[in-house]
Each structure stands twice: as C-alpha cells, then as structure tokens.
Amino acid sequence: MTQAYDVIVIGGGLHGLSAALHLARRSARVLVVEKHWVGRHASGATAAGVRTLNRDRGELDLSLEALDMWHALESLVGDDCGFHANGQICVAENAGALSKLEARVNGLRADGYTHEEMIGPAELRRLLPELSHHCLGASYTRRDGAADPHRALRAFRSSAVDAGVTLVEHCGVNALKKTSQGWLVSADGGREWSAGAIVNAAGAWSGRVAAMAGDDIPLATKSSMMMVSERLRPFIKPVVAIMGRSLSFKQSDQGTLVIGGGLQGIPDLDRETSTARMQVLAKGARSATDLFPSVRDIRIVRVWAGLEAKTDDMLPVVGPSPNAPGVFHAFGFSGHGFELVPVVGATLADLILTGKTSRPIQALDARRLMPAFAKEKSS
C-alpha cells in the first residue's frame, strides 16, 4: 500500500529540512526523501555566511527577515548553530571600488534601508587591525556574521524529526505522476509515496526534478571551492570580502581561516563530483594575502568543492510551479542560500498550507527563467 503524506520534500539539504520543519510545526504530515544523506552536497560544503551585505534587491527584503530569524535561531531549532553576529565587511582597495560601494549604500539609504553603512580607514583598522594599509574604506553590516554549517544541519535535522517529519535517506526520486489526489512519487527500490504537495529542494538536481513535473527551468551548476588553514591565534572577527575580487575570508571558532568567495572548481552533475582547481585557489590565496600580509606563510590543510545550482540571474527560484499545481520550488540559490534557510522554509509553509504568502518573493518566480513564458511575455 502506498503511504500518504500531506507534503513530500525532495532533497535533504538545509532548505528541504527547513521547509519540512516549518510544515510539520504547522501539523502537516511530511516526508523528506534524500538521494544520499542529509547535507551531502551544497549544505555540507557551504562557508555558512549569514549575509545581507550586497544582496540583490530581488531577495533583499527576504534576507533581512532571515537575519532577524538567525538572531533568534535557538527558538526555532534549539541551537544557535554557532552563529556569531560579528559583521560582514566589503573592502575597497581603490577609489573606483570605494565609489561603487558608496553609490550602493547611498541608493539603499534613499530607499529607506539602513542595514549597510560606509566606514572609513580608522574604523576599518579598528575592526581589522591586520588589514593592509592600502585599503581605503568599506561597506559594513553590523548584524551579519557566519555560522557553523554542520551544527545547522544537525539542528534542523533533529528539530524536523522531533516535529514528526519522516526522513528517508539513500533513496533517489525517479518520477513524479499527477493523480486525482495530488502527486505520486516513485523512488529507488520500487518505493512509492503519495502527497497533496511536493517541495522541490533538490539543489543542483532541482532542474531535473522540475522537469519531472513539467517545468522547463534552465539551471547551471556551480562548484564553489573553499580552503581551510591551520589553526592560528584569533585576529579577525568579521567576515571579509573585497569589492571586485572573489574572496570571502573569515576565522572560525577553532582558529582556522576559511577562504572562499565564489572560487569555482569543475562540476560534474552526472557523476556527482566537484573537482578543485589549484590554480584558481591560488588566486584566492593571493587575494587573502594582499589584504592580510600576516597570513602569507601559513599552511592550507584542506580544500573542498561542493555542487550547487546556479540560475542565469543568480537569484533563486522560490514559489509554486507555473505548470504543476501542488509542486513548489526552492532551489537555484547560486552560492548565497545559507542565510535564507529559515525564511524560505517558512515561506513554503505559507504557500502550501494557505495558498499565499505575504513575504516578498515576486522576483523569485520561476517564470522569469522559463523559455516558454519569456517567449509569451515578449510576443
């Protein structure tokens, strides 16, 4: 007999777990189906930045609500997930970069946003005493920070299970079929389940799941790389980026430096592998040492790369399927989805259980990316 649920979530990363948790807390019967194990790909390879700094306007309001949720995360999952609100800083190395940051902050202020501010050399040196003196200033968000991705995975998983979510790992979904009652999900080993609603949170493979439901949503793949150093004395608290360069630089609670920021390896979706490129990592290391000369001689102890989905406009898809009633998408976070985890889960619960949400997701509609709708809009 096919077991029935209210909602089946495809994908056991943080976004899938968050959706399942929010739904179960609102009395839905939820199944999460994960092809490998929870957090196998993007969620387990993230740098875990909790960032509103430099967010696209299309997701800015959502990220600001998410930040408030991070500051109260223990009330949601029983753990702060190692979140430290030590701020995020985007450094300007030259006058042109400084002008771009100032223009952004001024534009935000004109529209009523106050979360970003400009800081000059003196404040910059106070926050980052070992920063190179060639840097002229920065934009800064005081309430941003970073968390521990593995603590977050454990907390969201255990909270979801405690809320009654059924979790099936090591089981890939092979087909979706529309029925009079909703959807039939077929998976490895001949397993089948039915539900009134489906959440597609399958990460880099979400485009393939969307196609099973009849949605043609173009999706590329990222292979974001990270480097971790040996343990060092504490010398940096905020997360640091550079305007015009691919760099994210932070120090963990253990003293290790975590260096990334969009450095790309080689993804292979079919083999489910992500290969690091040492020459590209070397560019990231050079950016780090340009900003912090004191780390020039430290040892890198490991590197990794993780597979994640990327959309054409680098904004995620969050919302209902245009072609398949009862299917809801949450994917394509393009390297900046970690901070959005709690709010996207709450948004999906709104949509599935009430048919609407007051949260601003208009810019994240799947139709903006779909060839059929783009052709219809232009004709």
Side-chain angles (χ1 to χ4, degrees), residues 44-169:
T46 176
V50 178
R51 175 181 64 83
T52 61
L53 182 68
N54 290 330
R55 283 279 180 179
D56 188 284
R57 289 294 187 96
E59 61 180 4
L60 176 56
D61 290 328
L62 207 61
S63 75
L64 288 169
E65 183 182 355
L67 183 61
D68 289 338
M69 296 174 80
W70 273 100
H71 278 265
L73 196 67
E74 193 163 357
S75 65
L76 178 65
V77 294
D79 186 357
D80 66 9
C81 299
F83 171 56
H84 297 302
N86 291 323
Q88 293 221 7
I89 295 175
C90 186
V91 173
E93 296 183 278
N94 53 60
L98 190 64
S99 294
K100 289 180 180 178
L101 292 177
E102 288 173 340
R104 174 179 168 83
V105 171
N106 290 338
L108 287 168
R109 292 296 172 99
D111 290 338
Y113 295 98
T114 59
H115 63 290
E116 290 192 25
E117 62 184 280
M118 292 300 300
I119 56 174
E123 177 70 356
L124 193 54
R125 304 285 176 260
R126 186 187 71 80
L127 292 167
L128 303 170
E130 298 193 27
L131 183 71
S132 172
H133 284 273
H134 76 279
C135 299
L136 303 180
S139 58
Y140 179 37
T141 46
R142 295 179 184 271
R143 297 182 73 235
D144 285 4
D148 182 328
H150 304 293
R151 277 179 64 177
L153 280 163
R154 288 194 299 269
F156 273 90
R157 175 184 175 140
S158 62
S159 295
V161 171
D162 288 347
V165 172
T166 300
L167 177 61
V168 175
E169 295 177 280

Side-chain angles (χ1 to χ4, degrees), residues 62-307:
L62 207 61
S63 75
L64 288 169
E65 183 182 355
L67 183 61
D68 289 338
M69 296 174 80
W70 273 100
H71 278 265
L73 196 67
E74 193 163 357
S75 65
L76 178 65
V77 294
D79 186 357
D80 66 9
C81 299
F83 171 56
H84 297 302
N86 291 323
Q88 293 221 7
I89 295 175
C90 186
V91 173
E93 296 183 278
N94 53 60
L98 190 64
S99 294
K100 289 180 180 178
L101 292 177
E102 288 173 340
R104 174 179 168 83
V105 171
N106 290 338
L108 287 168
R109 292 296 172 99
D111 290 338
Y113 295 98
T114 59
H115 63 290
E116 290 192 25
E117 62 184 280
M118 292 300 300
I119 56 174
E123 177 70 356
L124 193 54
R125 304 285 176 260
R126 186 187 71 80
L127 292 167
L128 303 170
E130 298 193 27
L131 183 71
S132 172
H133 284 273
H134 76 279
C135 299
L136 303 180
S139 58
Y140 179 37
T141 46
R142 295 179 184 271
R143 297 182 73 235
D144 285 4
D148 182 328
H150 304 293
R151 277 179 64 177
L153 280 163
R154 288 194 299 269
F156 273 90
R157 175 184 175 140
S158 62
S159 295
V161 171
D162 288 347
V165 172
T166 300
L167 177 61
V168 175
E169 295 177 280
H170 305 288
C171 184
V173 169
N174 302 317
L176 301 178
K177 182 181 178 182
K178 190 75 176 76
T179 70
S180 59
Q181 302 298 314
W183 290 89
L184 184 68
V185 176
S186 300
D188 293 345
R191 304 181 76 173
E192 288 187 337
W193 304 276
S194 65
I198 302 292
V199 172
N200 173 16
W205 293 267
S206 292
R208 297 180 181 184
V209 174
M212 294 179 192
D215 286 341
D216 177 16
I217 305 175
L219 200 63
T221 309
K222 292 185 69 170
S223 174
S224 297
M225 300 185 294
M226 304 296 301
M227 297 177 280
V228 176
S229 77
E230 62 185 315
R231 295 187 180 192
L232 306 172
R233 60 177 174 78
F235 75 97
I236 179 173
K237 286 188 174 181
V239 179
V240 182
I242 312 177
M243 180 65 188
R245 291 212 229 182
S246 294
L247 178 72
S248 173
F249 184 98
K250 68 174 182 175
Q251 189 168 26
S252 72
D253 290 344
Q254 294 76 34
T256 58
L257 297 180
V258 182
I259 304 168
L263 305 169
Q264 294 300 300
I266 303 169
D268 190 322
L269 206 56
D270 292 324
R271 294 184 178 179
E272 302 185 16
T273 60
S274 191
T275 304
R277 294 193 292 170
M278 295 304 166
Q279 288 185 328
V280 175
L281 285 169
K283 292 180 181 179
R286 176 60 184 269
S287 296
T289 58
D290 284 349
L291 251 63
F292 296 96
S294 63
V295 306
R296 187 164 289 139
D297 295 325
I298 67 170
R299 292 176 296 176
I300 298 298
V301 296
R302 62 190 176 100
V303 303
W304 74 81
L307 290 171

